[in-house]
Amino acid sequence: MTLSDKILKIKDELKDELCILAHHYQNDEIVRYANFIGDSLELARKVPSLKAKYIVMCGVYFMAESTAILANESQQVFIPVEKAGCTLADLAPAKLIEIILTKLNQKRKIIPIAYVNTSAKVKAICGEFGGSVCTSANSVTMLKWALENSDGVLFLPDRNLALNTAKALGIDDEEISYLDDDIFNKKYKLYVWPGYCDVHLNFRQGHIYHFKKRKPDAKIIVHPECTPEVVNEADAWGSTSKIIKYVQNQPKGSKIVIGTELNLVNRLKKQHGDKEIFPLHTTCCKYMEMINESNLLSLLESLDTYKQVKVDTKTKELARVAISKMLDVCK
Ligand code: 13P
Ligand code: SF4
C-alpha cells in the first residue's frame, strides 16, 4: 500500500469524524486530502461550524493554535509538524508587546491589531487591551475599525502589511511611528512593529520591472506582505483568496504575474491552462513545506496518542475575544 492509499483508507474509515484543513500554500501532495482549503481568514471562519472530532491543520503552527482557540472543548486539534512555525509569529514576542502597550496606554488609548500570523499569547494580549486581530484579507477594515475606536493603533507584527494597509486608508507618513524614536512622548496615529515575512521579502521592484519590460501586457498581483515599493508597482494586491479570485476573473489568454508563495502560483498555473501565469520570483515557505504525506500519515495513524495543539484556558478566552471581534466586524 502507498502512503496515499493508507491516508485515503484512514479518511474513509473515520469519515465525518476527521476534518483536514489546508492553507493555500500547502503543496498538491497535501491539498488533495483536504476537506477544506482556504486562506487564514477562511480557515478561521470555517472552524466554528466543524463537527469533526479530529481536526488536522495542514498549515503553520499559528493556524493550528487559532483552530484550537475556535474549536469546541470536545474537539481535538492537531498539526503534523509542531515546528512548522512562521517568521512573522517568531518576530512578535508576547512579553515585549505587553510592556510596550502598557506604557503606551499610560497617556492615551492605544489598541493593538495583530495580524493572525502571531502566537495565541499575542492574540490574548490584543483581547486584553481592547484590540483585535486581522488577516491580509481584512486588514483595511480592521485598521479602520481600530482607529475609530482609539487614540492610536499598534499594528503588528508585519511592517509591510501595516504600511500597505495604511496607504489604502490614506494615513500620512508623519502620523506613523516605526518604533525607532521617542514613542512614549510623541503622539502617533499608527505604531508599526518591525516584523516581516522572509518569503515575501524576496520579491523586489527589480522583478516587477523585469516583467513590465518582458511582458508589458501582463497584470501583476502581489500579496501585501511584500514591501510597499513592490505593492505600489503592482496592478493589484490582496490575500491568497483575493489572488485566486483575481486570476479567475481575468479573461482567457491573459498573462498574470503573481508575487506570492510558489505552491499557490503553481496550482493556479495548473488550474488555469487557458491563461499564462508566471511567478514574480520562485520562493517557497520553508515552514509550510515541513508538512508532507509521511508526517500526515504518522499523525493519522496515531490520533489517539498524538500530541494535541492546546491553548491554556485564560489565553484561549482572551484570544477568543480578539478573534471574535474580527469575525464580528467583518461579518
Ligand atoms: P493569507 O492571509 O493570505 O492566508 O496569508 C497567510 C500567510 O501566511 C501569508 O504569508
Ligand atoms: Fe509565515 Fe511567511 Fe510562511 Fe506565511 S509565508 S507562513 S508569513 S513565513
Side-chain angles (χ1 to χ4, degrees), residues 25 60 62-63 85-88 115 117 197-200 225 261 285 287-288:
Y25 290 166
V60 292
F62 76 80
M63 296 176 182
C86 165
T87 317
L88 275 171
Y115 190 23
N117 298 39
C197 157
D198 49 2
V199 174
H200 288 87
E225 286 171 19
E261 213 265 358
C285 174
Y287 300 109
M288 292 278 181

Side-chain angles (χ1 to χ4, degrees), residues 122-142:
V122 170
K123 293 183 177 86
I125 290 171
C126 291
E128 202 176 339
F129 280 84
S132 183
V133 296
C134 76
T135 75
S136 55
N138 63 19
S139 58
V140 176
T141 310
M142 291 312 297

Side-chain angles (χ1 to χ4, degrees), residues 54-239:
Y54 307 108
I55 306 176
V56 176
M57 169 55 76
C58 294
V60 292
Y61 194 75
F62 76 80
M63 296 176 182
E65 268 192 338
S66 296
T67 306
I69 291 164
L70 293 166
N72 66 45
E73 293 307 319
S74 64
Q75 291 174 311
Q76 297 175 24
V77 176
F78 302 93
I79 183 166
V81 181
E82 201 181 11
K83 280 196 299 224
C86 165
T87 317
L88 275 171
D90 290 348
L91 289 170
K95 200 71 218 158
L96 181 60
I97 292 166
E98 191 174 20
I99 292 169
I100 292 178
L101 272 170
T102 306
K103 194 141 189 220
L104 281 174
N105 274 280
Q106 281 168 358
K107 293 187 186 150
R108 302 168 70 215
K109 183 183 174 195
I110 305 297
I111 66 174
I113 290 290
Y115 190 23
V116 285
N117 298 39
T118 42
S119 66
K121 287 248 180 296
V122 170
K123 293 183 177 86
I125 290 171
C126 291
E128 202 176 339
F129 280 84
S132 183
V133 296
C134 76
T135 75
S136 55
N138 63 19
S139 58
V140 176
T141 310
M142 291 312 297
L143 179 56
K144 187 167 178 287
W145 167 84
L147 289 168
E148 284 166 2
N149 289 282
S150 67
D151 300 322
V153 174
L154 173 65
F155 192 105
L156 58 115
D158 190 10
R159 181 183 189 273
N160 292 329
L161 180 64
L163 296 181
N164 291 321
T165 307
K167 179 157 189 255
L169 287 171
I171 300 172
D172 284 345
D173 201 43
E174 306 85 72
E175 297 176 292
I176 300 176
S177 160
Y178 295 86
L179 304 194
D180 58 355
D181 57 7
D182 188 6
I183 58 165
F184 301 116
N185 288 310
K186 284 194 191 162
K187 289 181 182 164
Y188 290 101
K189 195 167 180 173
L190 184 61
Y191 298 82
V192 173
W193 198 262
Y196 57 85
C197 157
D198 49 2
V199 174
H200 288 87
L201 220 54
N202 284 318
F203 299 106
R204 303 284 159 83
Q205 266 173 312
H207 299 130
I208 300 225
Y209 298 146
H210 169 86
F211 276 102
K212 282 192 170 169
K213 201 166 161 198
R214 287 203 34 229
K215 311 270 176 205
D217 51 344
K219 292 275 184 225
I220 304 177
I221 182 162
V222 300
H223 195 279
E225 286 171 19
C226 295
T227 62
E229 291 76 17
V230 167
V231 170
N232 292 345
E233 293 290 341
D235 296 293
W237 61 273
S239 66

